[in-house]
Amino acid sequence: MEISDIISDYISQVDYETLDNEVREEAKRRVLDALANAKYSYNEIGSTLKQAAKYFGGEVETVDGIKVSVDFASFYNTFLIRYLDFNDTYLSKEPLHPSDMIGGLMALGKMLNATGKQLITSIAVGYEVGVRLCDSSSLRKRGFDHVLFLAIAEAAAASKLLDLDARKAKNAISLAMIPNVALRETRSGALSMWKAGAAADASRNAVFAALAAMSGITGPEKPFSGKMGLINIILQDFDEKNFKSLGHSGILKTYIKQYPAEYHAQAAIEAALQIDYKGKIEEVEIETYEAAKSILADDESKWNPENRETADHSLPYMVAVALVKRRFWLDSYSYIRDPEVLSVMKKIRVHEDQDMTKIYPEKLPVRISVKAEGNKKSAYLELPKGHAKRPMTKEEIIEKAIRLGLSSDAVEKAMNLEQFKVREIVV
């Protein structure tokens, strides 16, 4: 059966009352975490986005109150959420940052004057679809970017928020998917601002597609299974069994980040901070699984990052900073030219361990060994703090949000989202 038919039929079956309380609470935490990321990002990228906003006027408010068109509000919000690379993650055959979709859903929710309950329900739908897509095949290994799965999942979530019937929801998925097959070059070698922009664009496309479908515009009937569809052209190994029985607990399988870094580096940073070495570092060996090495240590640029976007995807840089500075936070990216950090980076070697690759993504193993003044100390970690199997507590997530600059009022509204309208939720 065509996957877009399965998804569109599923959308109408989910409502707020059918969601487990654990799912509702997790959705609120993801909104909180996303808004906190957006709040801090505004300090670094807000002026650039406001400049772009001049060309996309409208009546829909972004998370910080700028009035623009609904599709650009989706782009704007998502860019802020994604920019720090500090929002949530899911790792399977394909990685995804599911909370990237919250920016678009917030924009659409404000336009619709939707309730917090409606937003929570749409988030549950989007996460479920996104997780199932990631479990089914890998875009990354074929040179395509994970934001294609984001666009599909968000189109499903937006369809729920708009209360589209199955036919229109199917068209929304098709319209979000067919024209927007993104290339992985976004995340290859030295990185640019488009690392965040790709997700923002996917979010914009998903919201645009859902509104177009609501208006009666149709898309190709078989975006997945057609002769020139996604499965036959790109994802020939797509495992359709993952769509046999859709539920709404996908969000419970995803992870919140403890450190502002690409997720494959979370355990490495934590392990590096555990190593109590003495004296001058002579060499550092990092053993980990294939995805961590191929994404975070794929070429020479990762040993010589020139900007934030590359540094937070550089395993040598992040481990070196953790070892040298003995802490890791957003200001850790100010050490790109630090002589001591650069010196340690030159001594780092990254190796794939086949046994570690075999247990990924169930576990995210890393072993870091540091030789200093002739003595060698190591740390081994399989699951970082924030993983679904080792989650951060509600209090830790709130503490992170406050540290990122979110006001107590914004925290209170996010954590009690069902009591508010979406338009009342701001950073």
Side-chain angles (χ1 to χ4, degrees), residues 33 36-37 40 44 84 86 257-261 266 269 273 308 312 317-318 321-322 325-335 392 396-405:
D33 193 59
N37 273 270
Y40 193 97
E44 298 190 17
L84 296 178
F86 206 2
K257 291 183 177 181
Q258 181 180 23
Y259 301 109
Q266 296 291 311
I269 292 170
L273 291 172
R308 160 66 190 270
D312 68 20
Y317 177 81
M318 291 180 281
V321 170
K325 304 300 180 181
R326 310 310 297 151
R327 56 184 294 276
F328 202 94
W329 188 245
L330 291 159
D331 59 356
S332 295
Y333 295 103
S334 64
Y335 302 120
M392 294 172 68
E396 287 171 332
I397 296 168
I398 290 174
E399 181 183 355
K400 173 186 170 182
I402 292 172
R403 192 175 180 189
L404 285 169

mmCIF file of all heavy atoms in Angstrom, residues 33 36-37 40 44 84 86 257-261 266 269 273 308 312 317-318 321-322 325-335 392 396-405:
data_model
loop_
_atom_site.group_PDB
_atom_site.id
_atom_site.type_symbol
_atom_site.label_atom_id
_atom_site.label_comp_id
_atom_site.label_asym_id
_atom_site.label_seq_id
_atom_site.Cartn_x
_atom_site.Cartn_y
_atom_site.Cartn_z
ATOM 1 N N ASP A 33 11.941 23.022 25.235
ATOM 2 C CA ASP A 33 13.334 22.935 24.773
ATOM 3 C C ASP A 33 13.522 23.688 23.463
ATOM 4 O O ASP A 33 14.522 24.391 23.272
ATOM 5 C CB ASP A 33 13.720 21.462 24.602
ATOM 6 C CG ASP A 33 15.215 21.268 24.446
ATOM 7 O OD1 ASP A 33 15.971 21.656 25.363
ATOM 8 O OD2 ASP A 33 15.639 20.736 23.405
ATOM 9 N N ALA A 36 13.456 27.471 24.134
ATOM 10 C CA ALA A 36 14.692 27.903 24.785
ATOM 11 C C ALA A 36 15.828 28.020 23.777
ATOM 12 O O ALA A 36 16.621 28.970 23.818
ATOM 13 C CB ALA A 36 15.058 26.919 25.891
ATOM 14 N N ASN A 37 15.907 27.072 22.862
ATOM 15 C CA ASN A 37 16.907 27.163 21.796
ATOM 16 C C ASN A 37 16.695 28.408 20.952
ATOM 17 O O ASN A 37 17.643 29.118 20.607
ATOM 18 C CB ASN A 37 16.829 25.910 20.906
ATOM 19 C CG ASN A 37 17.666 24.771 21.425
ATOM 20 O OD1 ASN A 37 18.827 24.636 21.083
ATOM 21 N ND2 ASN A 37 17.077 23.937 22.265
ATOM 22 N N TYR A 40 17.856 31.721 22.788
ATOM 23 C CA TYR A 40 19.292 31.983 22.777
ATOM 24 C C TYR A 40 19.784 32.282 21.362
ATOM 25 O O TYR A 40 20.612 33.174 21.156
ATOM 26 C CB TYR A 40 20.056 30.802 23.363
ATOM 27 C CG TYR A 40 21.507 31.121 23.659
ATOM 28 C CD1 TYR A 40 21.904 31.490 24.940
ATOM 29 C CD2 TYR A 40 22.468 31.091 22.654
ATOM 30 C CE1 TYR A 40 23.224 31.811 25.209
ATOM 31 C CE2 TYR A 40 23.798 31.403 22.912
ATOM 32 C CZ TYR A 40 24.173 31.757 24.185
ATOM 33 O OH TYR A 40 25.481 32.081 24.442
ATOM 34 N N GLU A 44 22.236 35.531 18.430
ATOM 35 C CA GLU A 44 23.305 35.342 17.459
ATOM 36 C C GLU A 44 22.859 35.523 16.017
ATOM 37 O O GLU A 44 23.644 35.973 15.182
ATOM 38 C CB GLU A 44 23.916 33.941 17.634
ATOM 39 C CG GLU A 44 24.551 33.736 19.002
ATOM 40 C CD GLU A 44 25.351 32.457 19.082
ATOM 41 O OE1 GLU A 44 25.691 31.892 18.016
ATOM 42 O OE2 GLU A 44 25.653 32.010 20.201
ATOM 43 N N LEU A 84 21.450 26.447 17.034
ATOM 44 C CA LEU A 84 22.458 26.065 18.029
ATOM 45 C C LEU A 84 22.865 24.593 17.946
ATOM 46 O O LEU A 84 23.850 24.186 18.558
ATOM 47 C CB LEU A 84 21.946 26.346 19.446
ATOM 48 C CG LEU A 84 21.670 27.786 19.823
ATOM 49 C CD1 LEU A 84 21.120 27.843 21.242
ATOM 50 C CD2 LEU A 84 22.921 28.640 19.702
ATOM 51 N N PHE A 86 21.161 22.317 19.348
ATOM 52 C CA PHE A 86 20.975 21.964 20.753
ATOM 53 C C PHE A 86 19.570 21.427 21.002
ATOM 54 O O PHE A 86 19.187 21.190 22.142
ATOM 55 C CB PHE A 86 21.232 23.216 21.604
ATOM 56 C CG PHE A 86 21.677 22.972 23.022
ATOM 57 C CD1 PHE A 86 21.887 21.697 23.518
ATOM 58 C CD2 PHE A 86 21.896 24.053 23.876
ATOM 59 C CE1 PHE A 86 22.301 21.493 24.825
ATOM 60 C CE2 PHE A 86 22.324 23.864 25.187
ATOM 61 C CZ PHE A 86 22.511 22.578 25.664
ATOM 62 N N LYS A 257 19.136 16.983 24.230
ATOM 63 C CA LYS A 257 20.586 17.145 24.360
ATOM 64 C C LYS A 257 20.990 17.805 25.675
ATOM 65 O O LYS A 257 20.409 18.814 26.082
ATOM 66 C CB LYS A 257 21.132 17.985 23.204
ATOM 67 C CG LYS A 257 21.068 17.296 21.849
ATOM 68 C CD LYS A 257 21.709 18.174 20.786
ATOM 69 C CE LYS A 257 21.713 17.477 19.443
ATOM 70 N NZ LYS A 257 22.346 18.286 18.387
ATOM 71 N N GLN A 258 22.033 17.250 26.273
ATOM 72 C CA GLN A 258 22.626 17.865 27.456
ATOM 73 C C GLN A 258 23.652 18.927 27.059
ATOM 74 O O GLN A 258 23.813 19.926 27.749
ATOM 75 C CB GLN A 258 23.305 16.794 28.314
ATOM 76 C CG GLN A 258 23.932 17.339 29.594
ATOM 77 C CD GLN A 258 24.598 16.250 30.408
ATOM 78 O OE1 GLN A 258 24.969 15.199 29.897
ATOM 79 N NE2 GLN A 258 24.760 16.505 31.697
ATOM 80 N N TYR A 259 24.337 18.684 25.946
ATOM 81 C CA TYR A 259 25.391 19.597 25.485
ATOM 82 C C TYR A 259 25.025 20.187 24.130
ATOM 83 O O TYR A 259 24.370 19.530 23.315
ATOM 84 C CB TYR A 259 26.728 18.851 25.360
ATOM 85 C CG TYR A 259 27.204 18.237 26.652
ATOM 86 C CD1 TYR A 259 27.189 16.859 26.836
ATOM 87 C CD2 TYR A 259 27.669 19.033 27.701
ATOM 88 C CE1 TYR A 259 27.619 16.279 28.019
ATOM 89 C CE2 TYR A 259 28.101 18.465 28.891
ATOM 90 C CZ TYR A 259 28.074 17.087 29.047
ATOM 91 O OH TYR A 259 28.491 16.521 30.223
ATOM 92 N N PRO A 260 25.462 21.418 23.847
ATOM 93 C CA PRO A 260 25.163 22.057 22.567
ATOM 94 C C PRO A 260 26.085 21.534 21.461
ATOM 95 O O PRO A 260 27.046 22.195 21.050
ATOM 96 C CB PRO A 260 25.424 23.539 22.852
ATOM 97 C CG PRO A 260 26.478 23.530 23.913
ATOM 98 C CD PRO A 260 26.189 22.325 24.761
ATOM 99 N N ALA A 261 25.796 20.336 20.977
ATOM 100 C CA ALA A 261 26.644 19.677 20.002
ATOM 101 C C ALA A 261 25.839 18.646 19.230
ATOM 102 O O ALA A 261 24.806 18.171 19.709
ATOM 103 C CB ALA A 261 27.819 18.986 20.701
ATOM 104 N N GLN A 266 27.557 13.710 21.927
ATOM 105 C CA GLN A 266 27.095 13.853 23.299
ATOM 106 C C GLN A 266 27.849 12.922 24.255
ATOM 107 O O GLN A 266 28.347 13.346 25.301
ATOM 108 C CB GLN A 266 25.592 13.574 23.378
ATOM 109 C CG GLN A 266 24.724 14.559 22.604
ATOM 110 C CD GLN A 266 24.696 15.941 23.214
ATOM 111 O OE1 GLN A 266 24.480 16.107 24.405
ATOM 112 N NE2 GLN A 266 24.910 16.955 22.389
ATOM 113 N N ILE A 269 31.665 13.922 24.571
ATOM 114 C CA ILE A 269 31.905 15.064 25.456
ATOM 115 C C ILE A 269 31.795 14.625 26.917
ATOM 116 O O ILE A 269 32.654 14.957 27.748
ATOM 117 C CB ILE A 269 30.910 16.208 25.151
ATOM 118 C CG1 ILE A 269 31.198 16.805 23.770
ATOM 119 C CG2 ILE A 269 30.993 17.299 26.226
ATOM 120 C CD1 ILE A 269 30.122 17.761 23.284
ATOM 121 N N LEU A 273 34.893 14.553 29.718
ATOM 122 C CA LEU A 273 34.827 15.290 30.981
ATOM 123 C C LEU A 273 35.043 14.376 32.191
ATOM 124 O O LEU A 273 35.370 14.855 33.281
ATOM 125 C CB LEU A 273 33.472 16.000 31.102
ATOM 126 C CG LEU A 273 33.245 17.163 30.120
ATOM 127 C CD1 LEU A 273 31.805 17.660 30.198
ATOM 128 C CD2 LEU A 273 34.216 18.304 30.386
ATOM 129 N N ARG A 308 31.347 28.220 13.673
ATOM 130 C CA ARG A 308 30.546 27.492 14.646
ATOM 131 C C ARG A 308 29.899 26.259 14.017
ATOM 132 O O ARG A 308 29.849 25.174 14.612
ATOM 133 C CB ARG A 308 29.486 28.429 15.229
ATOM 134 C CG ARG A 308 28.278 27.765 15.899
ATOM 135 C CD ARG A 308 28.693 27.007 17.150
ATOM 136 N NE ARG A 308 27.587 26.195 17.643
ATOM 137 C CZ ARG A 308 26.680 26.617 18.518
ATOM 138 N NH1 ARG A 308 26.736 27.843 18.986
ATOM 139 N NH2 ARG A 308 25.727 25.809 18.932
ATOM 140 N N ASP A 312 30.660 22.530 15.718
ATOM 141 C CA ASP A 312 29.722 21.679 16.455
ATOM 142 C C ASP A 312 29.409 20.376 15.720
ATOM 143 O O ASP A 312 28.594 19.575 16.166
ATOM 144 C CB ASP A 312 28.442 22.428 16.859
ATOM 145 C CG ASP A 312 27.548 22.818 15.701
ATOM 146 O OD1 ASP A 312 27.660 22.224 14.618
ATOM 147 O OD2 ASP A 312 26.702 23.716 15.894
ATOM 148 N N TYR A 317 37.335 18.726 17.672
ATOM 149 C CA TYR A 317 37.222 20.022 18.348
ATOM 150 C C TYR A 317 36.480 19.892 19.674
ATOM 151 O O TYR A 317 36.946 20.372 20.720
ATOM 152 C CB TYR A 317 36.507 21.045 17.461
ATOM 153 C CG TYR A 317 36.302 22.373 18.159
ATOM 154 C CD1 TYR A 317 37.327 23.308 18.226
ATOM 155 C CD2 TYR A 317 35.099 22.676 18.793
ATOM 156 C CE1 TYR A 317 37.161 24.520 18.903
ATOM 157 C CE2 TYR A 317 34.925 23.874 19.463
ATOM 158 C CZ TYR A 317 35.952 24.795 19.518
ATOM 159 O OH TYR A 317 35.789 25.989 20.198
ATOM 160 N N MET A 318 35.333 19.240 19.661
ATOM 161 C CA MET A 318 34.515 19.176 20.871
ATOM 162 C C MET A 318 35.200 18.383 21.984
ATOM 163 O O MET A 318 35.156 18.769 23.153
ATOM 164 C CB MET A 318 33.141 18.609 20.533
ATOM 165 C CG MET A 318 32.315 19.579 19.694
ATOM 166 S SD MET A 318 30.663 18.965 19.255
ATOM 167 C CE MET A 318 31.042 17.866 17.889
ATOM 168 N N VAL A 321 38.103 20.579 23.396
ATOM 169 C CA VAL A 321 37.612 21.630 24.294
ATOM 170 C C VAL A 321 37.220 21.037 25.645
ATOM 171 O O VAL A 321 37.553 21.586 26.706
ATOM 172 C CB VAL A 321 36.416 22.372 23.671
ATOM 173 C CG1 VAL A 321 35.755 23.293 24.701
ATOM 174 C CG2 VAL A 321 36.876 23.202 22.478
ATOM 175 N N ALA A 322 36.520 19.909 25.622
ATOM 176 C CA ALA A 322 36.110 19.272 26.881
ATOM 177 C C ALA A 322 37.317 18.867 27.719
ATOM 178 O O ALA A 322 37.325 19.034 28.950
ATOM 179 C CB ALA A 322 35.235 18.055 26.590
ATOM 180 N N LYS A 325 39.309 22.546 28.640
ATOM 181 C CA LYS A 325 38.571 23.517 29.453
ATOM 182 C C LYS A 325 37.798 22.866 30.608
ATOM 183 O O LYS A 325 37.331 23.569 31.501
ATOM 184 C CB LYS A 325 37.610 24.313 28.569
ATOM 185 C CG LYS A 325 38.292 25.021 27.392
ATOM 186 C CD LYS A 325 39.347 26.012 27.845
ATOM 187 C CE LYS A 325 40.018 26.700 26.659
ATOM 188 N NZ LYS A 325 41.077 27.654 27.086
ATOM 189 N N ARG A 326 37.634 21.549 30.573
ATOM 190 C CA ARG A 326 36.959 20.783 31.629
ATOM 191 C C ARG A 326 35.487 21.181 31.818
ATOM 192 O O ARG A 326 34.922 21.024 32.901
ATOM 193 C CB ARG A 326 37.705 20.897 32.974
ATOM 194 C CG ARG A 326 39.193 20.617 32.904
ATOM 195 C CD ARG A 326 39.536 19.335 32.191
ATOM 196 N NE ARG A 326 39.004 18.153 32.870
ATOM 197 C CZ ARG A 326 38.659 17.029 32.240
ATOM 198 N NH1 ARG A 326 38.747 16.953 30.920
ATOM 199 N NH2 ARG A 326 38.195 16.000 32.913
ATOM 200 N N ARG A 327 34.874 21.679 30.776
ATOM 201 C CA ARG A 327 33.459 22.030 30.765
ATOM 202 C C ARG A 327 33.029 22.140 29.309
ATOM 203 O O ARG A 327 33.882 22.197 28.425
ATOM 204 C CB ARG A 327 33.187 23.357 31.492
ATOM 205 C CG ARG A 327 33.989 24.526 30.931
ATOM 206 C CD ARG A 327 33.805 25.813 31.713
ATOM 207 N NE ARG A 327 32.447 26.328 31.615
ATOM 208 C CZ ARG A 327 32.020 27.084 30.604
ATOM 209 N NH1 ARG A 327 32.828 27.428 29.607
ATOM 210 N NH2 ARG A 327 30.784 27.523 30.595
ATOM 211 N N PHE A 328 31.717 22.169 29.053
ATOM 212 C CA PHE A 328 31.251 22.352 27.679
ATOM 213 C C PHE A 328 29.887 23.019 27.688
ATOM 214 O O PHE A 328 28.911 22.492 28.214
ATOM 215 C CB PHE A 328 31.173 21.012 26.932
ATOM 216 C CG PHE A 328 31.228 21.180 25.438
ATOM 217 C CD1 PHE A 328 32.432 21.083 24.768
ATOM 218 C CD2 PHE A 328 30.074 21.462 24.712
ATOM 219 C CE1 PHE A 328 32.496 21.267 23.387
ATOM 220 C CE2 PHE A 328 30.127 21.645 23.343
ATOM 221 C CZ PHE A 328 31.337 21.538 22.676
ATOM 222 N N TRP A 329 29.840 24.221 27.099
ATOM 223 C CA TRP A 329 28.594 24.972 26.977
ATOM 224 C C TRP A 329 28.674 25.803 25.700
ATOM 225 O O TRP A 329 29.585 25.640 24.885
ATOM 226 C CB TRP A 329 28.348 25.817 28.230
ATOM 227 C CG TRP A 329 27.000 26.482 28.278
ATOM 228 C CD1 TRP A 329 26.739 27.810 28.255
ATOM 229 C CD2 TRP A 329 25.721 25.830 28.334
ATOM 230 N NE1 TRP A 329 25.378 28.035 28.310
ATOM 231 C CE2 TRP A 329 24.729 26.835 28.354
ATOM 232 C CE3 TRP A 329 25.311 24.495 28.367
ATOM 233 C CZ2 TRP A 329 23.359 26.562 28.400
ATOM 234 C CZ3 TRP A 329 23.951 24.217 28.415
ATOM 235 C CH2 TRP A 329 22.996 25.249 28.436
ATOM 236 N N LEU A 330 27.749 26.691 25.485
ATOM 237 C CA LEU A 330 27.686 27.449 24.242
ATOM 238 C C LEU A 330 28.925 28.298 23.989
ATOM 239 O O LEU A 330 29.329 28.496 22.843
ATOM 240 C CB LEU A 330 26.426 28.318 24.226
ATOM 241 C CG LEU A 330 25.138 27.500 24.119
ATOM 242 C CD1 LEU A 330 23.953 28.292 24.621
ATOM 243 C CD2 LEU A 330 24.913 27.041 22.694
ATOM 244 N N ASP A 331 29.540 28.790 25.067
ATOM 245 C CA ASP A 331 30.759 29.581 24.880
ATOM 246 C C ASP A 331 31.960 28.717 24.503
ATOM 247 O O ASP A 331 33.041 29.236 24.221
ATOM 248 C CB ASP A 331 31.071 30.417 26.123
ATOM 249 C CG ASP A 331 31.248 29.558 27.372
ATOM 250 O OD1 ASP A 331 31.057 28.337 27.297
ATOM 251 O OD2 ASP A 331 31.589 30.129 28.432
ATOM 252 N N SER A 332 31.783 27.402 24.476
ATOM 253 C CA SER A 332 32.881 26.522 24.094
ATOM 254 C C SER A 332 33.282 26.701 22.632
ATOM 255 O O SER A 332 34.362 26.275 22.228
ATOM 256 C CB SER A 332 32.477 25.059 24.332
ATOM 257 O OG SER A 332 32.278 24.821 25.705
ATOM 258 N N TYR A 333 32.431 27.348 21.851
ATOM 259 C CA TYR A 333 32.758 27.580 20.446
ATOM 260 C C TYR A 333 33.549 28.872 20.233
ATOM 261 O O TYR A 333 33.812 29.271 19.098
ATOM 262 C CB TYR A 333 31.481 27.554 19.605
ATOM 263 C CG TYR A 333 30.856 26.179 19.642
ATOM 264 C CD1 TYR A 333 29.734 25.924 20.428
ATOM 265 C CD2 TYR A 333 31.429 25.122 18.953
ATOM 266 C CE1 TYR A 333 29.185 24.652 20.512
ATOM 267 C CE2 TYR A 333 30.904 23.839 19.030
ATOM 268 C CZ TYR A 333 29.780 23.614 19.807
ATOM 269 O OH TYR A 333 29.264 22.346 19.888
ATOM 270 N N SER A 334 33.952 29.498 21.326
ATOM 271 C CA SER A 334 34.805 30.694 21.219
ATOM 272 C C SER A 334 36.285 30.322 21.199
ATOM 273 O O SER A 334 37.141 31.200 21.135
ATOM 274 C CB SER A 334 34.529 31.634 22.401
ATOM 275 O OG SER A 334 34.894 31.014 23.629
ATOM 276 N N TYR A 335 36.585 29.008 21.249
ATOM 277 C CA TYR A 335 37.978 28.565 21.346
ATOM 278 C C TYR A 335 38.538 28.031 20.027
ATOM 279 O O TYR A 335 39.509 27.287 20.016
ATOM 280 C CB TYR A 335 38.095 27.477 22.425
ATOM 281 C CG TYR A 335 37.631 27.916 23.785
ATOM 282 C CD1 TYR A 335 36.586 27.255 24.430
ATOM 283 C CD2 TYR A 335 38.223 28.998 24.431
ATOM 284 C CE1 TYR A 335 36.146 27.654 25.684
ATOM 285 C CE2 TYR A 335 37.795 29.403 25.678
ATOM 286 C CZ TYR A 335 36.749 28.723 26.299
ATOM 287 O OH TYR A 335 36.322 29.132 27.543
ATOM 288 N N MET A 392 16.917 12.994 30.580
ATOM 289 C CA MET A 392 17.014 14.122 31.491
ATOM 290 C C MET A 392 15.692 14.248 32.240
ATOM 291 O O MET A 392 14.628 13.939 31.700
ATOM 292 C CB MET A 392 17.307 15.415 30.714
ATOM 293 C CG MET A 392 18.661 15.431 30.037
ATOM 294 S SD MET A 392 18.893 16.861 28.928
ATOM 295 C CE MET A 392 18.932 18.222 30.107
ATOM 296 N N GLU A 396 15.798 19.069 35.061
ATOM 297 C CA GLU A 396 17.016 19.330 34.283
ATOM 298 C C GLU A 396 16.695 20.038 32.973
ATOM 299 O O GLU A 396 17.447 20.912 32.532
ATOM 300 C CB GLU A 396 17.752 18.016 34.008
ATOM 301 C CG GLU A 396 18.431 17.444 35.243
ATOM 302 C CD GLU A 396 18.966 16.043 35.026
ATOM 303 O OE1 GLU A 396 18.410 15.292 34.184
ATOM 304 O OE2 GLU A 396 19.947 15.668 35.715
ATOM 305 N N ILE A 397 15.576 19.686 32.362
ATOM 306 C CA ILE A 397 15.178 20.340 31.107
ATOM 307 C C ILE A 397 14.781 21.787 31.374
ATOM 308 O O ILE A 397 15.125 22.695 30.614
ATOM 309 C CB ILE A 397 14.025 19.558 30.447
ATOM 310 C CG1 ILE A 397 14.513 18.156 30.043
ATOM 311 C CG2 ILE A 397 13.505 20.302 29.218
ATOM 312 C CD1 ILE A 397 13.393 17.213 29.664
ATOM 313 N N ILE A 398 14.079 22.017 32.467
ATOM 314 C CA ILE A 398 13.714 23.391 32.837
ATOM 315 C C ILE A 398 14.970 24.199 33.151
ATOM 316 O O ILE A 398 15.096 25.363 32.735
ATOM 317 C CB ILE A 398 12.750 23.390 34.045
ATOM 318 C CG1 ILE A 398 11.386 22.832 33.619
ATOM 319 C CG2 ILE A 398 12.604 24.791 34.634
ATOM 320 C CD1 ILE A 398 10.406 22.647 34.761
ATOM 321 N N GLU A 399 15.909 23.594 33.860
ATOM 322 C CA GLU A 399 17.164 24.277 34.181
ATOM 323 C C GLU A 399 17.916 24.661 32.909
ATOM 324 O O GLU A 399 18.458 25.768 32.800
ATOM 325 C CB GLU A 399 18.039 23.371 35.042
ATOM 326 C CG GLU A 399 19.366 24.008 35.450
ATOM 327 C CD GLU A 399 20.244 23.058 36.253
ATOM 328 O OE1 GLU A 399 19.786 21.951 36.580
ATOM 329 O OE2 GLU A 399 21.385 23.431 36.560
ATOM 330 N N LYS A 400 17.932 23.760 31.933
ATOM 331 C CA LYS A 400 18.570 24.055 30.648
ATOM 332 C C LYS A 400 17.874 25.245 29.973
ATOM 333 O O LYS A 400 18.535 26.158 29.462
ATOM 334 C CB LYS A 400 18.509 22.823 29.742
ATOM 335 C CG LYS A 400 18.987 23.072 28.312
ATOM 336 C CD LYS A 400 18.760 21.841 27.420
ATOM 337 C CE LYS A 400 19.014 22.164 25.960
ATOM 338 N NZ LYS A 400 18.753 20.998 25.066
ATOM 339 N N ALA A 401 16.538 25.244 29.979
ATOM 340 C CA ALA A 401 15.782 26.317 29.332
ATOM 341 C C ALA A 401 16.067 27.670 29.974
ATOM 342 O O ALA A 401 16.246 28.683 29.284
ATOM 343 C CB ALA A 401 14.287 26.006 29.394
ATOM 344 N N ILE A 402 16.113 27.691 31.289
ATOM 345 C CA ILE A 402 16.401 28.949 31.995
ATOM 346 C C ILE A 402 17.825 29.406 31.711
ATOM 347 O O ILE A 402 18.085 30.600 31.508
ATOM 348 C CB ILE A 402 16.156 28.763 33.505
ATOM 349 C CG1 ILE A 402 14.656 28.562 33.767
ATOM 350 C CG2 ILE A 402 16.684 29.952 34.297
ATOM 351 C CD1 ILE A 402 14.319 28.182 35.185
ATOM 352 N N ARG A 403 18.751 28.460 31.667
ATOM 353 C CA ARG A 403 20.142 28.810 31.358
ATOM 354 C C ARG A 403 20.269 29.388 29.948
ATOM 355 O O ARG A 403 21.132 30.234 29.689
ATOM 356 C CB ARG A 403 21.030 27.570 31.506
ATOM 357 C CG ARG A 403 22.509 27.879 31.496
ATOM 358 C CD ARG A 403 23.342 26.643 31.757
ATOM 359 N NE ARG A 403 24.759 26.955 31.752
ATOM 360 C CZ ARG A 403 25.728 26.051 31.788
ATOM 361 N NH1 ARG A 403 25.434 24.761 31.835
ATOM 362 N NH2 ARG A 403 26.996 26.427 31.770
ATOM 363 N N LEU A 404 19.392 28.948 29.039
ATOM 364 C CA LEU A 404 19.388 29.482 27.679
ATOM 365 C C LEU A 404 18.693 30.840 27.591
ATOM 366 O O LEU A 404 18.693 31.468 26.533
ATOM 367 C CB LEU A 404 18.716 28.494 26.726
ATOM 368 C CG LEU A 404 19.545 27.256 26.362
ATOM 369 C CD1 LEU A 404 18.691 26.226 25.638
ATOM 370 C CD2 LEU A 404 20.745 27.646 25.518
ATOM 371 N N GLY A 405 18.088 31.275 28.680
ATOM 372 C CA GLY A 405 17.526 32.622 28.720
ATOM 373 C C GLY A 405 16.017 32.711 28.667
ATOM 374 O O GLY A 405 15.455 33.812 28.614
#
